[in-house]
Amino acid sequence: MANLLSGLEKFGLGNFEDEKIFEDEKKAEAISKGTAVKETAEEDLLFDKTYQCPVCDKEFKSKTVRTGKAKLLGTDIDLRAKYQGIDPLKYDIVSCPKCGYTTVTRYFNLITSPQASLIREKISRNYKASVNNESTISYEAAIESHKLALVNAIVKKCRVSEKAYICLKIAWLIRGQREDLDETANDYKDLVTKSETEELEFIKNAYEGFSAAVAKEEFPMCGMDESTMDYLLAALACQCKQYDMASRLVSNVITSRVAKNNLKEKARELKTVILQERKEN
């Protein structure tokens, strides 16, 4: 798995580096209008939300983006949302500082008793909390916490779609981190190459996982309907240079009777990208 789960030693969980993700599957700058608009600081868009851990019952706080405060600027071709002044992806994770139970926010309370037992046995026993007193979360810390969430997902034997979703979010975070790199740094090109390689590995895992999930799980899946999933898989397939599959999936969206018009428009744009990349490669 190319050490995709590296960097978790600080949590006492370095022994998960060789763990398979899919064990059972297929072995804006501030906008001005006449006068300058003061840019909102990232910490001003956050608040501490209280959670109670379903694994160890500890109550703790986690930084959360205030609803409706972040301004959407647009989305990448694979549906990664981009906001002004903040990347909410960094805060879409909840991690218990006592037992190490960590997951994407939408799944935090969706854990069974047998799964909680697995977390206590394989995560909590060795977990070392990492204290972060910063007012915001860095990309590095966000990537680490999402990798920790991926380990938790593997341990509790969750749905394939959940593991794929976490892989996709890690890929997006790596992309965001790359966009934040200092272009004047001496090692900028090397860092970009390394970042692109790591992002692609997580994209491939997300593609593999979602492809397996659509064959056995029901919709909505990770908050997406079937048409949205077809579009996302087409975008991921394109990034993995699986152009035949990408073309087939994007055509499904364009000709769908239930897909929304804005999704169909994005699918037409993606079709153009697929044709162009296919020609170039």
Side-chain angles (χ1 to χ4, degrees):
M1 195 170 58
N3 286 336
L4 297 188
L5 297 174
S6 61
L8 297 176
E9 295 84 357
K10 65 190 293 183
F11 299 108
L13 301 172
N15 56 323
F16 283 97
E17 285 192 8
D18 297 322
E19 192 75 39
K20 292 182 179 179
I21 296 174
F22 304 111
E23 183 178 8
D24 299 323
E25 291 73 32
K26 195 190 174 186
K27 298 192 172 177
E29 296 171 343
I31 298 174
S32 298
K33 292 182 178 180
T35 58
V37 178
K38 183 179 180 181
E39 186 173 351
T40 303
E42 183 170 336
E43 53 264 36
D44 293 336
L45 300 174
L46 305 171
F47 74 100
D48 289 329
K49 183 175 180 178
T50 301
Y51 290 88
Q52 184 169 5
C53 181
V55 173
C56 69
D57 291 327
K58 177 182 174 61
E59 191 174 274
F60 63 95
K61 296 182 183 297
S62 181
K63 293 188 182 302
T64 306
V65 180
R66 296 182 185 277
T67 303
K69 295 299 182 180
K71 181 179 180 181
L72 180 66
L73 297 177
T75 58
D76 287 345
I77 201 76
D78 59 4
L79 302 180
R80 171 204 171 209
K82 301 173 74 172
Y83 291 82
Q84 180 178 307
I86 192 173
D87 188 344
L89 279 172
K90 296 190 295 180
Y91 301 92
D92 189 24
I93 209 81
V94 184
S95 182
C96 176
K98 180 181 179 182
C99 71
Y101 172 54
T102 306
T103 187
V104 176
T105 306
R106 68 165 59 240
Y107 298 124
F108 185 69
N109 288 311
L110 303 180
I111 183 171
T112 65
S113 294
Q115 287 176 324
S117 294
L118 287 171
I119 296 297
R120 286 191 290 268
E121 177 186 349
K122 297 187 177 183
I123 298 290
S124 305
R125 184 175 297 177
N126 300 312
Y127 179 69
K128 299 176 183 177
S130 178
V131 180
N132 180 13
N133 295 320
E134 300 296 325
S135 58
T136 61
I137 297 176
S138 67
Y139 274 111
E140 181 180 5
I143 292 169
E144 287 176 350
S145 62
H146 277 73
K147 287 183 178 181
L148 183 56
L150 185 54
V151 166
N152 271 258
I154 294 168
V155 165
K156 68 180 181 180
K157 304 183 185 302
C158 69
R159 289 186 175 186
V160 181
S161 59
E162 183 176 337
K163 291 183 283 187
Y165 183 54
I166 298 171
C167 284
L168 179 60
K169 284 168 58 61
I170 294 174
W172 286 344
L173 286 165
I174 292 170
R175 191 183 309 165
Q177 183 184 46
R178 185 169 66 252
E179 292 171 351
D180 259 11
L181 290 175
D182 181 2
E183 296 183 16
T184 65
N186 293 330
D187 58 349
Y188 173 72
K189 290 185 178 180
D190 291 337
L191 290 173
V192 167
T193 299
K194 180 181 178 182
S195 173
E196 290 175 340
T197 300
E198 188 175 8
E199 179 192 340
L200 182 58
E201 287 300 314
F202 279 103
I203 288 291
K204 288 177 179 178
N205 276 276
Y207 176 58
E208 176 187 341
F210 281 132
S211 296
V214 296
K216 61 180 66 176
E217 297 182 24
E218 296 181 355
F219 288 94
M221 187 183 299
C222 304
M224 292 176 276
D225 59 23
E226 191 168 358
S227 295
T228 304
M229 180 57 72
D230 276 349
Y231 173 87
L232 175 60
L233 279 171
L236 298 179
C238 180
Q239 289 172 280
C240 296
K241 302 188 186 305
Q242 302 291 322
Y243 300 118
D244 287 342
M245 180 59 71
S247 297
R248 194 176 311 131
L249 289 165
V250 83
S251 294
N252 288 346
V253 179
I254 293 172
T255 59
S256 172
R257 294 184 178 182
V258 296
K260 296 180 179 178
N261 290 333
N262 61 340
L263 185 64
K264 287 189 174 186
E265 184 58 35
K266 286 187 70 67
R268 294 186 186 98
E269 294 173 3
L270 177 57
K271 183 178 181 179
T272 300
V273 172
I274 294 169
L275 292 172
Q276 182 176 346
E277 290 198 12
R278 192 171 204 165
K279 185 182 298 184
E280 293 174 352
N281 290 280

